[in-house]
Amino acid sequence: MFFILQQVLQAPEQLRGLPAYGEFDADLMQQVLEEAGKFVGEVIAPLNREGDEIGAQFNNGTVTTPPGFREAYQAFWQAGWPALSAAGEDGGQGLPAVLEAMLYENLSAANHGWTMAPGLLHGAYECIKHHGSDTLKARYLEKVATGEWLATMCLTEPHAGSDLGLVRTKAVPQADGRYLLSGTKIFISGGEHDLTDNIVHLVLARLPEAPPGPKGLSLFLVPKFYEDGTRSAVACERIEEKMGLHGSPTCVMRFDEAAGWMVGEPGKGLNAMFVMMNAARLHVGLQGIGLLEAAWQKADAYAQERQQMRAPGSPSKAGQADPIQKHPAMRRILDAQRAWIDAGRVLAYRTALELDVIKHHPDPAKRETANRWCTLVTPVLKAAWTDQAFTGASACLQAFGGHG
């Protein structure tokens, strides 16, 4: 990972060209990555198997995450990991976006179920920062930036699927400036859990008399708990069964005249939400890279140990066998996935670097060029490497033969 970052992309030199990172160097970058790897390897990865075998538990509206998940998350945010790239004035560390991207690649490889919880934090932070009122930012921005409170993205509904223009959740304005939201949202990752003391829901809904279709959607913020400690009228009805993702509660959420505040302008909900969705797209691509890396690591390690038959050109004698890694058919499987992983990292890390250019470069032309790169590459990265994560993991499974 560091080789690609430093030798292939010359990231330290590029970042030092931005005013925000004038004193940034390769040593700091390597130190952050090594500490991230240590935390992920020692704290998060060991929870993966038990997390999937036990899974999140639902009981009368309450969701309990698997053993160790809450303690790991509390250690995660208190160590400052969610706040890597958030601005210093918001409680963040102000480091480059590429470091945050690499952290989440590691997390996805180690424990995807656990990683679903903080996976939307960066997008929620950007959404509130760019579209929230001063009051909302004062109340919620730092809590989300640091990860002390987790966030959700409440988009789809039972009848809508991916067609958000069909969303029916209503938001009725009140005299005090708040809105009462009523409706049901499905497939809400982390809609209810015990990882944090509060959850910030970002919800697409319609104002009365709003036009049909996507132009009638506005965005609202509804917390699990208000400042006075009272709980909002948001309830988890059930959690879904998701193969391989049992550690992450995927919730059906019901809003019963839950009071919240508008984020952004009326009818511009999708504009505000897309800030969040675009931030998530790069991370979804990195999930694919991370999962493929995990599959390759396991297959490669087993292929070095498992001995079967003599490989072509092997000096082994009759009755002896070579590691299957030396057989051309196995080399093809392993090397093909290794190429996908390295190529994906080059594209993903370069895209994360371009995000910093968009945010910090003084030249508008440079910012526009970087924006064009991200607009083109991000959806390609997301589509291609999530697809290859599935195909490549299946190929890596072949290394185990009957043990697969």
Side-chain angles (χ1 to χ4, degrees):
M1 294 172 76
F2 192 68
F3 172 82
I4 289 173
L5 199 62
Q6 186 173 20
Q7 302 300 323
V8 178
L9 296 173
Q10 287 86 46
E13 291 81 359
Q14 290 194 45
L15 289 167
R16 279 199 297 271
L18 303 176
Y21 307 124
E23 298 181 0
F24 194 77
D25 61 25
D27 289 341
L28 175 60
M29 181 175 281
Q30 186 164 6
Q31 183 180 1
V32 171
L33 292 176
E34 286 176 352
E35 288 301 315
K38 188 183 300 182
F39 182 89
V40 173
E42 295 176 359
V43 179
I44 307 302
L47 301 174
N48 190 37
R49 178 168 185 160
E50 196 169 50
D52 197 56
E53 290 180 349
I54 296 175
Q57 304 293 314
F58 176 82
N59 181 26
N60 194 29
T62 300
V63 175
T64 305
T65 52
F69 270 44
R70 175 178 167 81
E71 292 77 8
Y73 185 76
Q74 290 295 309
F76 181 71
W77 86 259
Q78 289 171 11
W81 292 115
L84 273 186
S85 68
E89 62 266 25
D90 301 326
Q93 299 186 45
L95 292 172
V98 68
L99 293 180
E100 179 187 64
M102 296 169 81
L103 167 66
Y104 276 90
E105 181 203 324
N106 278 337
L107 288 169
S108 296
N111 191 334
H112 195 167
W114 185 92
T115 304
M116 291 292 290
L120 291 175
L121 273 177
H122 178 77
Y125 163 73
E126 293 289 344
C127 184
I128 296 170
K129 185 175 180 68
H130 290 290
H131 295 283
S133 66
D134 289 341
T135 301
L136 285 183
K137 284 191 277 193
R139 195 175 295 164
Y140 295 102
L141 188 60
E142 184 170 335
K143 298 287 190 181
V144 172
T146 60
E148 182 177 353
W149 293 350
L150 284 167
T152 70
M153 184 164 59
C154 299
L155 305 180
T156 197
E157 299 174 5
H159 60 280
S162 299
D163 188 355
L164 297 180
L166 299 178
V167 162
R168 296 175 187 159
T169 298
K170 293 294 184 185
V172 179
Q174 304 298 296
D176 63 1
R178 297 189 299 173
Y179 296 80
L180 298 183
L181 275 69
S182 301
T184 298
K185 298 290 186 178
I186 62 170
F187 305 147
I188 308 306
S189 299
E192 173 62 27
H193 54 70
D194 58 355
L195 298 175
T196 54
D197 297 332
N198 205 355
I199 303 172
V200 179
H201 301 291
L202 291 166
V203 191
L204 281 181
R206 293 184 185 280
L207 295 169
E209 314 302 326
K215 293 184 178 179
L217 293 172
S218 301
L219 184 65
F220 301 87
L221 186 155
V222 181
K224 179 178 177 179
F225 291 104
Y226 300 110
E227 282 188 297
D228 61 3
T230 59
R231 182 162 182 162
S232 65
V234 183
C236 176
E237 293 188 335
R238 69 173 189 271
I239 59 176
E240 307 288 0
E241 159 70 21
K242 280 199 170 184
M243 183 175 64
L245 206 61
H246 298 141
S248 172
T250 304
C251 304
V252 176
M253 303 298 294
R254 187 182 72 250
F255 294 77
D256 295 317
E257 295 190 336
W261 298 267
M262 185 178 291
V263 179
E265 301 176 27
K268 297 290 183 67
L270 279 182
N271 298 56
M273 185 60 86
F274 267 111
V275 170
M276 191 170 185
M277 293 175 71
N278 283 331
R281 278 176 171 166
L282 174 59
H283 281 221
V284 174
L286 285 158
Q287 286 173 8
I289 296 168
L291 291 168
L292 185 57
E293 166 75 17
W296 177 87
Q297 283 189 20
K298 291 172 174 61
D300 184 64
Y302 183 78
Q304 293 181 50
E305 299 172 359
R306 180 66 169 176
Q307 294 188 338
Q308 291 279 281
M309 301 175 286
R310 286 186 292 173
S314 170
S316 299
K317 300 177 182 178
Q320 295 179 331
D322 290 310
I324 59 174
Q325 190 191 46
K326 294 186 177 181
H327 290 272
M330 192 56 59
R331 284 255 51 86
R332 175 181 56 80
I333 290 175
L334 295 172
D335 290 351
Q337 305 324 310
R338 184 73 255 156
W340 273 97
I341 293 162
D342 290 341
R345 282 174 170 163
V346 171
L347 281 178
Y349 301 172
R350 162 79 187 274
T351 302
L353 288 168
E354 298 294 350
L355 290 175
D356 281 316
V357 172
I358 293 171
K359 189 180 292 186
H360 298 295
H361 205 289
D363 185 348
K366 294 285 188 183
R367 295 199 300 270
E368 175 56 26
T369 300
N371 186 60
R372 289 173 61 190
W373 169 278
C374 294
T375 301
L376 172 66
V377 174
T378 303
V380 173
L381 185 76
K382 177 189 173 185
W385 268 265
T386 52
D387 183 69
Q388 188 59 30
F390 181 88
T391 305
S394 180
C396 287
L397 199 62
Q398 308 313 309
F400 294 89
H403 297 287

